[in-house]
Amino acid sequence: MSHELTTNTIWVLTCTSLVFLMQAGFCCLESGLSRSKNSINVATKNIVDFFIGVFIFWLFGFGLMFGQSYGGWIGTTQFAFEDSSNAHWPTVVFLFQLVFCSTAMTISSGAVAERMRFRAYLLLAVGIGAFAYPLFGHWAWAHDSARNPAGWLGKLGFLDFAGSSVVHSVGAWAALAAVLILGPRTGRFTGDSNEQRFSSSNLPMAALGFLILWFGWFGFNGGSTLALNGQVPSIILNTILAGISGGICALLWELIASKQISVEKVFNGSLAGLVAITASCNAVNYPSAICIGFIAGVVMLASLSLLENRFKIDDVVGAIPVHGFAGVWGTLAVALFADTSLFQTGVSRTTQLGIQALGAGVCFVWSFGSIWLFMMLVKCFMPLRVTASDEKIGLNVAEHGASTELHSLLETMIAHEKGDNQSRADVDNFTEAGIVGYQYNRVLDAQEILLSDVKDREVRYRSIMDNVMDAIITINLEGKIEEFNRGAEYLFGYYNHEAIGKSIDLLIPPLHQKIQHEYSSGELNPQLVRAIGSRQEIVAQRNDGSTFPAELAVSSVLLADREIFTGIIQDISERKDYERSLNEARKRAEAASEAKSEFLANMSHEIRTPMTAILGFTDILLRNLNNQEDIESANIVKRNGEYLIGVINDILDLSKIEARKVELEQVRVNTIEVIRDIVALMQIKADLKGLELVVSFENPIPETIVTDPTRLRQILINLLGNAIKFTETGYVELRTRTINREDSFAQLQFDVIDTGIGISKEALAQIYQPFTQADNSTTRKYGGTGLGLAISKRLVEMLGGQIQVTSSTGSGSTFTISVNTGSLKEVPLLHLDQGSIKSAVTGSSQGISESVCKTIAASRVLVVEDGLDNQRLISFLLKKEGMQVDLADNGQLGYEKIMAALQSGEPYNFVLMDMQMPVMDGYTATSKLREEGYTGPIIALTAHAMKNDMDKCLKAGCDAYATKPVDKRKLLETIARLAPPAGPTDLTSLVANSDS
Ligand code: ADP
């Protein structure tokens, strides 16, 4: 063997190995670019088509392609290839062509991946290897023994150095025919414009495959010289330049047009450059190679877009644009860029372009047409496409039962989805799927703990729902019952399954329920909103049609996707009956109480009438009695009668109040005057007991208030009376203040404070009860009826206020009352001191001239009064002013004492004459004195303040009159008014008609 032959043999065999390596490249690229569930299937197809390719090409493919040509159309020799030469060069060439054939067959496997049945693919490979590739190869590449073109295209001058068309386009157009028959993968194109990109299983592997392919291409193009000559380096450099420029073209396009750079497109751009340069790599300069590669990138991108967007052709790896369209471009580029010396003698570039175009066209028509017919024929006998479910689970499993870790993880997940909670994903810390499986198992464990917690809760919830006595019902927005517990079954007489899904109207007739009615329309109106969260009484209906009163509480619950309402329904029949009977009992009690009050009112009134008569006649009797013992007895009758009248008046008051027969007056009164009147009255009592009566103010105090003055006076007199009664030493204080309230008018508040015996804790709880006293002994010691506080409390409340007391045994008491003041708008507010009232009430000298005071102070006074208390009181008052006081028990004695004093030369300066007296009344005594010519001042004392009483007194000869109970101030004023001029009393002046 010559040196050259040896070198060439080594070179071509090396290139053969490189082209064989392209199988590995295709395997990585195509399986990396398809989805993982199909990756094994794609790889397997790549390997198996090599088996088929080798056998067919050996058996007859080589013969058809390179055997002796029959008319330029078909090879007719060299079937079942054998090589008898010593140098075995034909075998070298055969091997090189064999791997080319395999390459052409493999191209299609990526395009039809993921949906073509394995068996059908094998037939497709047979079709390409058996006739599509060898026959076109014969037309383009066959040669005679003189190495002149023998195929009809070759004879025309068709140039395709390493097979842009012969190898690449043939594979691609065959793939196109198969892809069109198969149709796109399920879900690849949904609707008109939407296309769904499926993710590639392993891009790094695809990248490796791409690089291996490129490496193989050095052999593919470099070996096509079939000699290691000077062309080889430039062929390889051209190959590289075209490859990178195709890749750059796609990369630039992605940078400009897309946000994210598609790795697949960059790979395919580069591969398109490699495919295109294949036809002319032996005949172009480097710039041309770059240009061809770049344009191939453009062609690839444009055709890819055309196929996908316009024709919805699903080519999984982009084989058709890369090998088919870029192959066509490469074939045409020969005419445009190649050295013309390669063209047949005299042929212009344009003519060559026509020849190239013809070749490319024939390639398409033949490869596409023959394979399309062939596959349609195959389709008549067997399905080409896998079933939809196989496509879904993936061809790895469907066709080979081969599973990946990822797939088994998915299977575990699907099993869980179907309810198998036992199995766990395979765990392997050194694979991605294994780590995901580990984490998935942890999630499952956590979920199981949660689930068991939820189950626990469900059990607890169920047991509550089933054991609670109340009916618990859940309804949805349409008013349909969704839950119906055992309590509801008992209450309504329906079984759970009978009620579920029915309208709530079944249980709560629309007549009686608003809520359900409203949410049956699906809208929550304000009434429903109001009903939610509150209780309302409704009428519910049982299965047997009977109705019963029930209480309904509704709460709304927001679930993840909707709102439901939970109602708790309680049968309140018993409660209603009980309420009814209570109501009746209350009405009866009220009626009885009213009857009692009315009875008391009537009785008091009835008793008062005879009592008035008893007292009246006792008075008459007293006037006529002379015997001291009889007078004493009649006086006892009178005292007890008066006490009884007091009691009856109290009872009458109380019963009137309780029978709500007291009508309040509302008049504007002068605050100071009211207080002054009360203090004036009580001052005497306090004086009698030697107690100080303090009047104090927490200023300011309104000048006037609107109230019922009689009732206010009654309350305060009662409280002050009690305070004086139950206090032996110390003082009694009336303290007044104004209380402003935010929400209504102000109130006037009075404290009645004493330093008396106090009230025990136990007694405090009772004191407002009628006829209740602190203890029995107090009754005896202090007297009283136990009605005063009962009346006061009720009156205070009627005046809009309250009564309170703080007290403890031995340390005095403080009673506090408040009364409404009415509006204080424009009412002047006063700043008062104790003096301003006290002086008005108690000060003797205020308002009376000093000389008069002196005159009064030196006076001798006779008090004609039968009542012991009044005798004591009046003489106490007058003595306090420095007067000399004598007493007479009746008119007769009074008359005698006055006359005796007159005659003795020491007449009385004033006489205070009670008008109602036994033996001789004041009228008679006065008239008699006047008849005797007595002119000294006589001041009538009368309990009746009526006008005709006054007239009667004056008519009888009195100079003035004062009312009982005695108002000290007024009395002193009256005395002062009648005071005779200063100096010794002119005796004669006292008897006007002494002469007569
Ligand atoms: P009466 O004073 O006519 O007995 P009340 O209703 O006014 O009836 O008073 C009821 C009882 O409350 C009195 O009997 C007395 O025991 C007690 N009480 C009232 N005020 C005072 C007071 N200021 N100090 C001590 N005890 C009082």
Side-chain angles (χ1 to χ4, degrees), residues 197 203 250-266 301:
R197 294 220 160 266
L203 282 177
L251 182 64
L252 284 176
W253 171 251
E254 285 298 280
L255 287 172
I256 295 163
S258 321
K259 267 198 218 148
Q260 291 163 328
I261 289 110
S262 159
V263 184
E264 293 97 323
K265 278 192 188 153
V266 176
L301 288 170

PDB file of all heavy atoms in Angstrom, residues 197 203 250-266 301:
ATOM      1  N   ARG A 197     -44.900  25.896  24.873  1.00  0.00           N
ATOM      2  CA  ARG A 197     -43.542  25.359  24.742  1.00  0.00           C
ATOM      3  C   ARG A 197     -43.346  24.324  25.838  1.00  0.00           C
ATOM      4  O   ARG A 197     -43.668  24.571  26.997  1.00  0.00           O
ATOM      5  CB  ARG A 197     -42.511  26.471  24.924  1.00  0.00           C
ATOM      6  CG  ARG A 197     -42.555  27.502  23.852  1.00  0.00           C
ATOM      7  CD  ARG A 197     -41.165  27.954  23.438  1.00  0.00           C
ATOM      8  NE  ARG A 197     -41.233  28.566  22.111  1.00  0.00           N
ATOM      9  CZ  ARG A 197     -41.018  27.898  20.985  1.00  0.00           C
ATOM     10  NH1 ARG A 197     -40.707  26.625  21.013  1.00  0.00           N
ATOM     11  NH2 ARG A 197     -41.107  28.506  19.811  1.00  0.00           N
ATOM     12  N   LEU A 203     -30.771  20.579  29.326  1.00  0.00           N
ATOM     13  CA  LEU A 203     -30.078  21.469  28.387  1.00  0.00           C
ATOM     14  C   LEU A 203     -28.559  21.301  28.411  1.00  0.00           C
ATOM     15  O   LEU A 203     -27.924  21.356  27.352  1.00  0.00           O
ATOM     16  CB  LEU A 203     -30.476  22.919  28.662  1.00  0.00           C
ATOM     17  CG  LEU A 203     -31.852  23.296  28.094  1.00  0.00           C
ATOM     18  CD1 LEU A 203     -32.224  24.712  28.471  1.00  0.00           C
ATOM     19  CD2 LEU A 203     -31.865  23.132  26.582  1.00  0.00           C
ATOM     20  N   ALA A 250     -28.164  33.714  15.453  1.00  0.00           N
ATOM     21  CA  ALA A 250     -29.303  33.362  16.320  1.00  0.00           C
ATOM     22  C   ALA A 250     -29.202  34.094  17.663  1.00  0.00           C
ATOM     23  O   ALA A 250     -30.201  34.582  18.209  1.00  0.00           O
ATOM     24  CB  ALA A 250     -29.335  31.855  16.538  1.00  0.00           C
ATOM     25  N   LEU A 251     -27.970  34.203  18.158  1.00  0.00           N
ATOM     26  CA  LEU A 251     -27.774  34.866  19.452  1.00  0.00           C
ATOM     27  C   LEU A 251     -28.185  36.343  19.380  1.00  0.00           C
ATOM     28  O   LEU A 251     -28.890  36.860  20.249  1.00  0.00           O
ATOM     29  CB  LEU A 251     -26.297  34.751  19.850  1.00  0.00           C
ATOM     30  CG  LEU A 251     -25.900  35.343  21.199  1.00  0.00           C
ATOM     31  CD1 LEU A 251     -26.587  34.590  22.328  1.00  0.00           C
ATOM     32  CD2 LEU A 251     -24.384  35.266  21.391  1.00  0.00           C
ATOM     33  N   LEU A 252     -27.725  37.010  18.247  1.00  0.00           N
ATOM     34  CA  LEU A 252     -28.088  38.419  18.064  1.00  0.00           C
ATOM     35  C   LEU A 252     -29.600  38.585  18.012  1.00  0.00           C
ATOM     36  O   LEU A 252     -30.178  39.476  18.631  1.00  0.00           O
ATOM     37  CB  LEU A 252     -27.467  38.960  16.756  1.00  0.00           C
ATOM     38  CG  LEU A 252     -25.973  39.270  16.817  1.00  0.00           C
ATOM     39  CD1 LEU A 252     -25.467  39.712  15.439  1.00  0.00           C
ATOM     40  CD2 LEU A 252     -25.721  40.372  17.853  1.00  0.00           C
ATOM     41  N   TRP A 253     -30.208  37.700  17.267  1.00  0.00           N
ATOM     42  CA  TRP A 253     -31.669  37.772  17.136  1.00  0.00           C
ATOM     43  C   TRP A 253     -32.346  37.637  18.508  1.00  0.00           C
ATOM     44  O   TRP A 253     -33.245  38.402  18.845  1.00  0.00           O
ATOM     45  CB  TRP A 253     -32.162  36.675  16.189  1.00  0.00           C
ATOM     46  CG  TRP A 253     -33.661  36.562  16.172  1.00  0.00           C
ATOM     47  CD1 TRP A 253     -34.415  35.572  16.692  1.00  0.00           C
ATOM     48  CD2 TRP A 253     -34.579  37.516  15.620  1.00  0.00           C
ATOM     49  NE1 TRP A 253     -35.732  35.829  16.511  1.00  0.00           N
ATOM     50  CE2 TRP A 253     -35.870  37.037  15.841  1.00  0.00           C
ATOM     51  CE3 TRP A 253     -34.406  38.746  14.941  1.00  0.00           C
ATOM     52  CZ2 TRP A 253     -37.011  37.706  15.425  1.00  0.00           C
ATOM     53  CZ3 TRP A 253     -35.560  39.412  14.532  1.00  0.00           C
ATOM     54  CH2 TRP A 253     -36.846  38.900  14.786  1.00  0.00           C
ATOM     55  N   GLU A 254     -31.866  36.713  19.288  1.00  0.00           N
ATOM     56  CA  GLU A 254     -32.460  36.497  20.613  1.00  0.00           C
ATOM     57  C   GLU A 254     -32.226  37.704  21.513  1.00  0.00           C
ATOM     58  O   GLU A 254     -33.096  38.122  22.269  1.00  0.00           O
ATOM     59  CB  GLU A 254     -31.844  35.257  21.277  1.00  0.00           C
ATOM     60  CG  GLU A 254     -32.344  33.952  20.715  1.00  0.00           C
ATOM     61  CD  GLU A 254     -33.836  33.770  20.923  1.00  0.00           C
ATOM     62  OE1 GLU A 254     -34.237  33.381  22.036  1.00  0.00           O
ATOM     63  OE2 GLU A 254     -34.615  34.040  19.980  1.00  0.00           O
ATOM     64  N   LEU A 255     -31.004  38.297  21.400  1.00  0.00           N
ATOM     65  CA  LEU A 255     -30.703  39.469  22.239  1.00  0.00           C
ATOM     66  C   LEU A 255     -31.623  40.623  21.909  1.00  0.00           C
ATOM     67  O   LEU A 255     -32.049  41.379  22.775  1.00  0.00           O
ATOM     68  CB  LEU A 255     -29.239  39.907  22.040  1.00  0.00           C
ATOM     69  CG  LEU A 255     -28.180  38.993  22.674  1.00  0.00           C
ATOM     70  CD1 LEU A 255     -26.788  39.421  22.245  1.00  0.00           C
ATOM     71  CD2 LEU A 255     -28.282  39.041  24.195  1.00  0.00           C
ATOM     72  N   ILE A 256     -31.894  40.763  20.602  1.00  0.00           N
ATOM     73  CA  ILE A 256     -32.723  41.895  20.169  1.00  0.00           C
ATOM     74  C   ILE A 256     -34.206  41.610  20.432  1.00  0.00           C
ATOM     75  O   ILE A 256     -34.927  42.445  20.970  1.00  0.00           O
ATOM     76  CB  ILE A 256     -32.497  42.188  18.659  1.00  0.00           C
ATOM     77  CG1 ILE A 256     -31.050  42.658  18.453  1.00  0.00           C
ATOM     78  CG2 ILE A 256     -33.480  43.227  18.146  1.00  0.00           C
ATOM     79  CD1 ILE A 256     -30.586  42.582  17.016  1.00  0.00           C
ATOM     80  N   ALA A 257     -34.628  40.417  20.053  1.00  0.00           N
ATOM     81  CA  ALA A 257     -36.073  40.169  20.006  1.00  0.00           C
ATOM     82  C   ALA A 257     -36.658  39.603  21.285  1.00  0.00           C
ATOM     83  O   ALA A 257     -37.838  39.791  21.555  1.00  0.00           O
ATOM     84  CB  ALA A 257     -36.376  39.227  18.832  1.00  0.00           C
ATOM     85  N   SER A 258     -35.879  38.905  22.074  1.00  0.00           N
ATOM     86  CA  SER A 258     -36.487  38.251  23.248  1.00  0.00           C
ATOM     87  C   SER A 258     -35.825  38.736  24.525  1.00  0.00           C
ATOM     88  O   SER A 258     -34.676  39.164  24.523  1.00  0.00           O
ATOM     89  CB  SER A 258     -36.307  36.736  23.205  1.00  0.00           C
ATOM     90  OG  SER A 258     -36.454  36.269  21.931  1.00  0.00           O
ATOM     91  N   LYS A 259     -36.584  38.612  25.596  1.00  0.00           N
ATOM     92  CA  LYS A 259     -36.034  38.978  26.901  1.00  0.00           C
ATOM     93  C   LYS A 259     -35.054  37.920  27.353  1.00  0.00           C
ATOM     94  O   LYS A 259     -34.020  38.198  27.935  1.00  0.00           O
ATOM     95  CB  LYS A 259     -37.183  39.060  27.915  1.00  0.00           C
ATOM     96  CG  LYS A 259     -37.754  40.436  28.072  1.00  0.00           C
ATOM     97  CD  LYS A 259     -38.537  40.481  29.359  1.00  0.00           C
ATOM     98  CE  LYS A 259     -39.779  41.328  29.141  1.00  0.00           C
ATOM     99  NZ  LYS A 259     -40.910  40.919  29.901  1.00  0.00           N
ATOM    100  N   GLN A 260     -35.448  36.665  27.092  1.00  0.00           N
ATOM    101  CA  GLN A 260     -34.595  35.573  27.533  1.00  0.00           C
ATOM    102  C   GLN A 260     -33.962  34.918  26.316  1.00  0.00           C
ATOM    103  O   GLN A 260     -34.611  34.807  25.273  1.00  0.00           O
ATOM    104  CB  GLN A 260     -35.428  34.543  28.284  1.00  0.00           C
ATOM    105  CG  GLN A 260     -35.910  35.102  29.611  1.00  0.00           C
ATOM    106  CD  GLN A 260     -37.048  34.290  30.178  1.00  0.00           C
ATOM    107  OE1 GLN A 260     -37.847  33.727  29.447  1.00  0.00           O
ATOM    108  NE2 GLN A 260     -37.103  34.236  31.497  1.00  0.00           N
ATOM    109  N   ILE A 261     -32.721  34.513  26.456  1.00  0.00           N
ATOM    110  CA  ILE A 261     -32.019  33.923  25.307  1.00  0.00           C
ATOM    111  C   ILE A 261     -32.342  32.434  25.249  1.00  0.00           C
ATOM    112  O   ILE A 261     -32.094  31.703  26.206  1.00  0.00           O
ATOM    113  CB  ILE A 261     -30.507  34.146  25.426  1.00  0.00           C
ATOM    114  CG1 ILE A 261     -30.238  35.612  25.186  1.00  0.00           C
ATOM    115  CG2 ILE A 261     -29.727  33.375  24.373  1.00  0.00           C
ATOM    116  CD1 ILE A 261     -29.862  36.457  26.094  1.00  0.00           C
ATOM    117  N   SER A 262     -32.943  32.021  24.125  1.00  0.00           N
ATOM    118  CA  SER A 262     -33.297  30.614  23.982  1.00  0.00           C
ATOM    119  C   SER A 262     -32.042  29.817  23.608  1.00  0.00           C
ATOM    120  O   SER A 262     -31.441  30.031  22.560  1.00  0.00           O
ATOM    121  CB  SER A 262     -34.371  30.462  22.903  1.00  0.00           C
ATOM    122  OG  SER A 262     -34.363  29.148  22.430  1.00  0.00           O
ATOM    123  N   VAL A 263     -31.666  28.903  24.493  1.00  0.00           N
ATOM    124  CA  VAL A 263     -30.462  28.101  24.268  1.00  0.00           C
ATOM    125  C   VAL A 263     -30.623  27.258  23.005  1.00  0.00           C
ATOM    126  O   VAL A 263     -29.706  27.169  22.169  1.00  0.00           O
ATOM    127  CB  VAL A 263     -30.235  27.168  25.484  1.00  0.00           C
ATOM    128  CG1 VAL A 263     -28.945  26.393  25.322  1.00  0.00           C
ATOM    129  CG2 VAL A 263     -30.210  27.968  26.754  1.00  0.00           C
ATOM    130  N   GLU A 264     -31.827  26.677  22.849  1.00  0.00           N
ATOM    131  CA  GLU A 264     -32.076  25.821  21.689  1.00  0.00           C
ATOM    132  C   GLU A 264     -31.827  26.576  20.389  1.00  0.00           C
ATOM    133  O   GLU A 264     -31.233  26.065  19.439  1.00  0.00           O
ATOM    134  CB  GLU A 264     -33.526  25.312  21.667  1.00  0.00           C
ATOM    135  CG  GLU A 264     -33.868  24.357  22.786  1.00  0.00           C
ATOM    136  CD  GLU A 264     -34.548  25.071  23.937  1.00  0.00           C
ATOM    137  OE1 GLU A 264     -34.153  26.230  24.214  1.00  0.00           O
ATOM    138  OE2 GLU A 264     -35.438  24.481  24.561  1.00  0.00           O
ATOM    139  N   LYS A 265     -32.285  27.835  20.349  1.00  0.00           N
ATOM    140  CA  LYS A 265     -32.165  28.585  19.097  1.00  0.00           C
ATOM    141  C   LYS A 265     -30.704  28.878  18.782  1.00  0.00           C
ATOM    142  O   LYS A 265     -30.297  28.866  17.613  1.00  0.00           O
ATOM    143  CB  LYS A 265     -32.956  29.887  19.189  1.00  0.00           C
ATOM    144  CG  LYS A 265     -34.433  29.642  18.890  1.00  0.00           C
ATOM    145  CD  LYS A 265     -35.183  30.921  18.689  1.00  0.00           C
ATOM    146  CE  LYS A 265     -36.681  30.584  18.589  1.00  0.00           C
ATOM    147  NZ  LYS A 265     -37.505  31.704  19.018  1.00  0.00           N
ATOM    148  N   VAL A 266     -29.922  29.166  19.825  1.00  0.00           N
ATOM    149  CA  VAL A 266     -28.494  29.427  19.588  1.00  0.00           C
ATOM    150  C   VAL A 266     -27.830  28.166  19.043  1.00  0.00           C
ATOM    151  O   VAL A 266     -27.078  28.215  18.063  1.00  0.00           O
ATOM    152  CB  VAL A 266     -27.810  29.909  20.894  1.00  0.00           C
ATOM    153  CG1 VAL A 266     -26.315  30.081  20.675  1.00  0.00           C
ATOM    154  CG2 VAL A 266     -28.432  31.226  21.358  1.00  0.00           C
ATOM    155  N   LEU A 301     -34.012  30.672  11.499  1.00  0.00           N
ATOM    156  CA  LEU A 301     -34.963  31.397  12.359  1.00  0.00           C
ATOM    157  C   LEU A 301     -36.268  31.649  11.611  1.00  0.00           C
ATOM    158  O   LEU A 301     -37.370  31.456  12.142  1.00  0.00           O
ATOM    159  CB  LEU A 301     -34.367  32.733  12.812  1.00  0.00           C
ATOM    160  CG  LEU A 301     -33.236  32.630  13.844  1.00  0.00           C
ATOM    161  CD1 LEU A 301     -32.566  33.978  14.043  1.00  0.00           C
ATOM    162  CD2 LEU A 301     -33.765  32.117  15.169  1.00  0.00           C
TER     163      LEU A 301
END
